Amino acid sequence: MLSLIEDKKTDPDSDPALVDQLKVVTFFTTTRCNARCETCFYWKNLNDADEKALTLEELETLTQTMPRFNHLLFSGGEPVMRKEILEIAKIFAKNCGIISIDMPTNGLLPKRVEEVASRILDEIPNVIFTVGLSLDGLEETHNRLRGVPGNWKRSMETMRVLGELRAARQAKFERGEGPKPNLRIMTLTCINNQNIAEIEEMAAHLKQHDEIDGMMFECLRGTPKDPNLFPPTPEQFDRVVKMSMELNAELYARRFPEWRALWLSYIRNVYRFQREHITTGKIPAKCQAGIALAVIEPDGRVRFCELLNEVGDLRKQGLDWKKVWLSPKAVDQRRWIRESRCSCTHCVNMGHSIDGTTSTRLRRKVDELVYSSGGA
């Protein structure tokens, strides 16, 4: 009898229940990009025609087959270069019940970023919208790593217009003329051997900008365009973490005092697991890529992680999410991730793979509390 029960055990890598465990989707809105970043792991795939991208009609069909999940992360390319980005956000919000949208930007199109943020605040007011402004060093270093002269100044302009947009919406809210603006403004920095010496000076400079709610520091990952770029050493990473924790404690206190302790606990756990990967090559947890985490390319190809091979093509599977998520390729890669203990420093993967600690629960709790209270 025992052997019969064991024979009927569900394969953990092909269990149909996996479909409903999805928590985070990274959606590449476009491969088009107006920067030439030396740090980019995606550089070989950039600037393909948007004509190949999933249409709004296809996304409507697809999302009706997907489970409800919490977090939508836009990526690219430069996300705002997809002209239908607002409509894409609205489709995911309507059909998948998302409570937050994160969008990185290189800051080269201040007016366009302002337009996207403004319309999301207007048309999806209950969603927490986080704009992450990429800043990879002081002005000269940033412009060089980004491959665009003048990028720093345009990024500062993007920060300014977002701050003014939020302030204007907050004033309207306080007059009873509109919803509370659920807009977070963050900076995102890819730390590497070419900018590590000026990270602390850059952070001290940025801290003076009242628009900024927090700063995240991410290790270089993947295969960058410049082969002379390398991740930080463990000792360099430790210094950045110490600085980041002190800095964000101050930043969160001035805008999110009620969530400060929870947020700091979350990023402390992320940094702890990143440090483990840097020193040992592995994290002491099972990566949730292919379980809680998914990546959708503009043309409908699906990956479990930005750094892994695709597991299916949604168009070839009739835009049916379950058919790709439980496909033979998906099952094989899910098993490989589990058995090889696949690991990297990607903060999204780290933050949602630490179910054995408080990190994932804290992030979820913070977003749910902010969402239910009606604003960030």
Side-chain angles (χ1 to χ4, degrees):
M1 178 64 71
L2 181 60
S3 62
L4 288 175
I5 293 173
E6 288 176 346
D7 288 344
K8 292 181 179 180
K9 279 185 178 179
T10 303
D11 180 354
D13 303 308
S14 62
D15 187 346
L18 287 166
V19 173
D20 294 321
Q21 294 183 36
L22 189 64
K23 296 291 186 297
V24 184
V25 171
T26 298
F27 183 80
F28 281 64
T29 65
T30 181
T31 64
R32 294 172 60 210
C33 193
N34 50 353
R36 300 293 180 269
C37 302
E38 299 294 340
T39 57
C40 184
F41 65 84
Y42 197 66
W43 60 278
K44 291 182 179 179
N45 300 308
L46 292 178
N47 295 307
D48 201 358
D50 273 353
E51 286 75 15
K52 297 180 181 179
L54 293 171
T55 66
L56 297 180
E57 291 76 15
E58 287 176 314
L59 280 169
E60 179 70 35
T61 300
L62 164 64
T63 53
Q64 290 181 21
T65 74
M66 296 179 73
R68 295 175 71 83
F69 61 90
N70 287 347
H71 307 297
L72 176 65
L73 279 60
F74 283 140
S75 191
E78 168 56 35
V80 300
M81 292 185 74
R82 178 71 182 267
K83 65 180 181 178
E84 304 97 344
I85 187 171
L86 173 71
E87 288 74 20
I88 293 170
K90 290 169 68 174
I91 288 172
F92 275 104
K94 177 185 69 172
N95 293 335
C96 299
I98 57 173
I99 66 174
S100 71
I101 299 173
D102 289 15
M103 184 187 78
T105 178
N106 58 35
L108 287 170
L109 300 170
K111 292 296 185 184
R112 174 61 175 158
V113 174
E114 180 186 20
E115 176 193 17
V116 170
S118 178
R119 293 192 63 190
I120 285 179
L121 292 179
D122 282 340
E123 300 185 39
I124 327 175
N126 290 330
V127 165
I128 303 161
F129 184 48
T130 300
V131 178
L133 188 61
S134 295
L135 294 169
D136 287 339
L138 294 169
E139 185 168 0
E140 182 180 346
T141 299
H142 177 73
N143 291 344
R144 175 174 56 79
L145 287 173
R146 290 273 149 179
V148 180
N151 193 335
W152 173 271
K153 286 185 171 60
R154 278 190 269 177
S155 294
M156 293 300 104
E157 173 66 8
T158 299
M159 184 190 302
R160 184 188 66 79
V161 298
L162 286 173
E164 290 180 352
L165 170 65
R166 182 170 59 189
R169 296 304 180 88
Q170 181 65 24
K172 289 181 66 175
F173 168 72
E174 291 173 0
R175 295 194 302 267
E177 298 173 1
K180 189 171 185 177
N182 289 335
L183 175 62
R184 294 172 178 160
I185 304 170
M186 307 286 288
T187 62
L188 309 174
T189 299
C190 177
I191 51 178
N192 58 77
N193 59 307
Q194 294 186 21
N195 67 6
I196 190 68
E198 60 189 58
I199 292 297
E200 292 187 46
E201 184 180 354
M202 180 197 74
H205 170 75
L206 293 174
K207 187 177 72 170
Q208 301 172 32
H209 290 263
D210 291 337
E211 301 94 339
I212 295 176
D213 300 325
M215 301 184 197
M216 292 300 295
F217 300 89
E218 178 80 346
C219 294
L220 180 77
R221 68 181 187 275
T223 305
K225 184 178 178 183
D226 182 351
N228 295 311
L229 282 168
F230 303 100
T233 66
E235 294 74 23
Q236 290 171 333
F237 182 74
D238 288 345
R239 290 199 297 273
V240 172
V241 168
K242 182 177 184 297
M243 179 270 298
S244 174
M245 294 305 300
E246 294 172 354
L247 178 69
N248 282 299
E250 183 176 339
L251 292 174
Y252 295 156
R254 75 187 186 190
R255 193 176 299 278
F256 307 119
E258 63 271 45
W259 319 123
R260 176 177 174 272
L262 292 175
W263 265 108
L264 291 176
S265 294
Y266 169 74
I267 63 173
R268 185 181 295 111
N269 274 302
V270 171
Y271 282 144
R272 180 165 61 87
F273 272 61
Q274 288 177 330
R275 176 66 157 76
E276 189 76 13
H277 174 85
I278 291 171
T279 55
T280 70
K282 298 292 180 183
I283 62 170
K286 176 186 173 184
C287 182
Q288 292 296 292
I291 299 173
L293 303 152
V295 177
I296 304 176
E297 298 275 357
D299 61 2
R301 288 173 296 135
V302 174
R303 303 178 191 271
F304 286 166
C305 171
E306 297 164 341
L307 303 180
L308 296 179
N309 293 331
E310 65 189 69
V311 296
D313 186 321
L314 287 161
R315 279 179 168 145
K316 292 179 180 178
Q317 297 296 333
L319 301 172
D320 187 325
W321 180 256
K322 186 175 181 179
K323 287 183 178 179
V324 170
W325 201 239
L326 298 176
S327 68
K329 268 190 177 181
V331 172
D332 288 345
Q333 190 172 105
R334 197 175 282 119
R335 182 175 294 114
W336 177 83
I337 291 172
R338 177 170 55 83
E339 293 178 349
S340 69
R341 290 181 57 210
C342 188
S343 175
C344 71
T345 58
H346 189 359
C347 64
V348 175
N349 290 22
M350 292 295 95
H352 290 85
S353 295
I354 313 175
D355 276 326
T357 73
T358 59
S359 180
T360 301
R361 295 193 300 274
L362 285 169
R363 171 62 194 265
R364 191 175 302 129
K365 185 67 173 176
V366 169
D367 282 340
E368 288 173 351
L369 284 170
V370 174
Y371 182 80
S372 63
S373 69

